[in-house]
Amino acid sequence: MQFDLVIRGGKIATASDVFEADVGIKDGIITALARDLQNAADVIDATGKLVLPGGIESHCHIAQESATGAMTSDDYYSGSVSAAFGGNSTIIPFAAQHRGQSVRDVMRIYDDRAAPNSVLDYSYHLIISDPTDKVIKEELPEAFAAGITSFKVFMTYDKLIVSDEQMLDILVTAREYGALTMVHAENNAMIKWMVGRLVDKGHTQARYHAVSHPEAAEVEAINRGISLASFVDAPLLIVHVSTDAGARRVAEARLNGQKIFGETCPQYLFLEASDLDRPDPEGTKFCCSPPLRNTETQKALWRHLQAGTFHLYSSDHAPYRFDETGKLSSGPNPPFNKVANGMPGIEMRAPLLFSEGVLKGRISLSTFVALTSTNAARLFGIHPKKGTIAIGSDADIAIWDPDETRVVTAQGMHDNMDYTPFEGWQVTGWPVTVLSRGKYVVHDGELKAKAGQGQFLKRAPFDTTGYTTELAGELNPASNFGAQIL
Ligand code: DUC
Ligand code: ZN
Ligand code: ZN
């Protein structure tokens, strides 16, 4: 067979296996995995390198207005380029509906933002903040038919929050069509009550951001989210879990047969609340929600990664610059409650986990692949086209040099940011080549792709195989005097 490209001599890792073989690529597809493949128009020598499925960054905010109107600094070009330099070949950011907006308009707006700009294949999760009858009955089914098979809701933020009743409507619709609901789980009232007390007493420095978002607020909302989802037997993904107690609820729910999944992020493994102590306004760089926690929590979250509590490890890249367009938009020394929540990290997500996780023996290489790629492909309906190295899959591949050591600097990142929270970190292991459908996106430290090269991914429904189905008894017509509720 004649190949367009052969990757020769590398060590391949998937979510289940590590083996030595060449990869033969034809028309953007992996067509051979064997030793000593010949007849290639182009060859990459991967001797001494790791050949991994390209990362799938499934939680990032790109070209997205926050509820307060601030725009992220990355558009689909800089965001996807930065993702590619960090070893990713697919991104799934959010398309956010703000109150009063139709979902049709939101999808059109984000198509216009993404299609001409993304260098990587992409999809969106739809954020729903205004679930009117029309949204529930017409627009979500339409979005679903267009291949957007995940919806996100917020249990906090006055401009985004949905009530429990609204969340039930969304969960039931998602269940009916086979979509996965994602949730930002924090108790809005507890946070507002804490913010009010702190600000009243003049405690406005960045460090109080962490105090104002108590662990109990996350745990309460995770409990409630799980209860609502399980009541209507819908799958639910709790994003950016930052507490041990919250993660334990996720693990316990799955043990009970519920379709509950969890995600954590680099900032909760590698940074901590004391980072907010830097003299103001420097501390604002570390304001994100949920907030950074403490060393004990970091250790617990690592144990959850090892024990399989979390299916996903995502950057939650939410880039707001350290200037008047971002973190300092309400003044040069803003109170913590007026600071845009989020930090950049799309490029550092996988290298940090490789360096601190794989090379330090905390997780295996296959677990690394699962957490950075395969599990996202499965949960979000793009497996096995994406997320693995197998015959017939897209040739979306990241070739890593496991020995390359770098010191992280903001200048070294390819996003449109003016800081990185990981400045000065030393990491070993770096993605040196990234292919998307067999085409070079990054090679020899250079960008090879053009804006708009990425394609929209029409995603499949959430796969419920392997999970029990159990509606709450009252919803079952056989046990509720025949009432048809769903
Ligand atoms: N939630 C996110 O998922 N990202 C940024 C800020 C937030 O509250
Ligand atoms: Zn969130
Ligand atoms: Zn986020």
Side-chain angles (χ1 to χ4, degrees), residues 52-354:
L52 311 182
I56 298 172
E57 172 55 86
S58 60
H59 185 158
C60 51
H61 301 270
I62 293 181
Q64 185 195 324
E65 295 92 353
S66 72
T68 53
M71 188 62 151
T72 57
S73 70
D74 280 310
D75 61 14
Y76 271 81
Y77 182 70
S78 61
S80 63
V81 166
S82 185
F85 276 95
N88 299 289
S89 53
T90 297
I91 51 172
I92 315 181
F94 295 93
Q97 179 208 26
H98 294 295
R99 300 234 169 100
Q101 247 184 332
S102 89
V103 168
R104 278 179 207 137
D105 285 347
V106 172
M107 284 169 46
R108 212 172 309 123
I109 289 167
Y110 280 84
D111 283 343
D112 289 346
R113 291 176 182 177
N117 293 314
S118 186
V119 303
L120 298 179
D121 290 355
Y122 63 92
S123 174
Y124 327 103
H125 317 285
L126 201 53
I127 290 177
I128 306 156
S129 64
D130 198 2
T132 60
D133 257 16
K134 187 169 178 201
V135 166
I136 295 287
K137 295 203 174 103
E138 292 174 28
E139 295 192 323
L140 289 187
E142 266 176 36
F144 183 81
I148 295 177
T149 55
S150 44
F151 310 144
K152 183 182 178 192
V153 294
F154 283 79
M155 296 171 86
T156 187
Y157 294 125
D158 283 349
K159 292 193 173 162
L160 293 171
I161 190 170
V162 293
S163 68
D164 291 356
E165 267 177 272
Q166 290 174 320
M167 192 160 156
L168 284 169
D169 277 341
I170 292 164
L171 285 163
V172 159
T173 307
R175 173 185 192 266
E176 185 182 343
Y177 288 91
L180 174 62
T181 304
M182 307 160 74
V183 66
H184 177 131
E186 284 187 289
N187 178 301
N188 199 40
M190 288 165 85
I191 293 169
K192 284 171 73 172
W193 188 84
M194 288 293 279
V195 169
R197 297 226 151 193
L198 286 162
V199 172
D200 269 1
K201 293 185 165 53
H203 300 310
T204 57
Q205 296 97 314
R207 66 198 309 182
Y208 294 107
H209 172 70
V211 182
S212 73
H213 287 242
E215 298 211 357
E218 177 173 290
V219 179
E220 186 285 324
I222 289 178
N223 268 329
R224 189 157 33 102
I226 290 174
S227 301
L228 295 172
S230 302
F231 177 59
V232 295
D233 188 38
L236 183 67
L237 166 64
I238 322 284
V239 297
H240 50 47
V241 176
S242 69
T243 57
D244 179 33
R248 282 174 187 272
R249 299 304 189 278
V250 171
E252 188 188 21
R254 245 193 350 273
L255 204 57
N256 291 337
Q258 296 162 341
K259 296 177 275 289
I260 304 295
F261 306 92
E263 171 204 77
T264 195
C265 311
Q267 46 273 39
Y268 306 117
L269 297 174
F270 303 117
L271 303 174
E272 51 185 47
S274 59
D275 284 301
L276 289 156
D277 287 345
R278 294 161 205 233
D280 277 354
E282 192 80 8
T284 64
K285 292 179 178 175
F286 296 85
C287 287
C288 61
S289 287
L292 304 178
R293 307 291 185 186
N294 60 24
T295 317
E296 279 311 302
T297 304
Q298 285 180 335
K299 284 191 195 145
L301 294 177
W302 273 106
R303 286 198 298 274
H304 283 290
L305 268 190
Q306 292 165 328
T309 301
F310 298 122
H311 279 65
L312 298 178
Y313 159 82
S314 314
S315 71
D316 196 2
H317 181 73
Y320 300 105
R321 290 172 67 95
F322 188 55
D323 64 21
E324 66 290 345
T325 67
K327 292 287 182 185
L328 310 181
S329 61
S330 47
N333 198 4
F336 73 83
N337 60 324
K338 299 273 190 268
V339 175
N341 276 320
M343 56 175 74
I346 204 165
E347 200 162 334
M348 288 311 306
R349 170 185 82 117
L352 281 166
L353 189 66
F354 186 86

Side-chain angles (χ1 to χ4, degrees), residues 410-447:
Q411 290 83 354
M413 299 291 103
H414 297 79
D415 55 13
N416 188 29
M417 282 296 292
D418 50 2
Y419 80 93
T420 163
F422 305 106
E423 185 80 31
W425 276 64
Q426 182 167 300
V427 297
T428 301
W430 203 265
V432 289
T433 296
V434 172
L435 305 175
S436 163
R437 285 176 280 106
K439 291 207 170 60
Y440 291 95
V441 180
V442 172
H443 194 44
D444 292 335
E446 283 178 22
L447 180 69

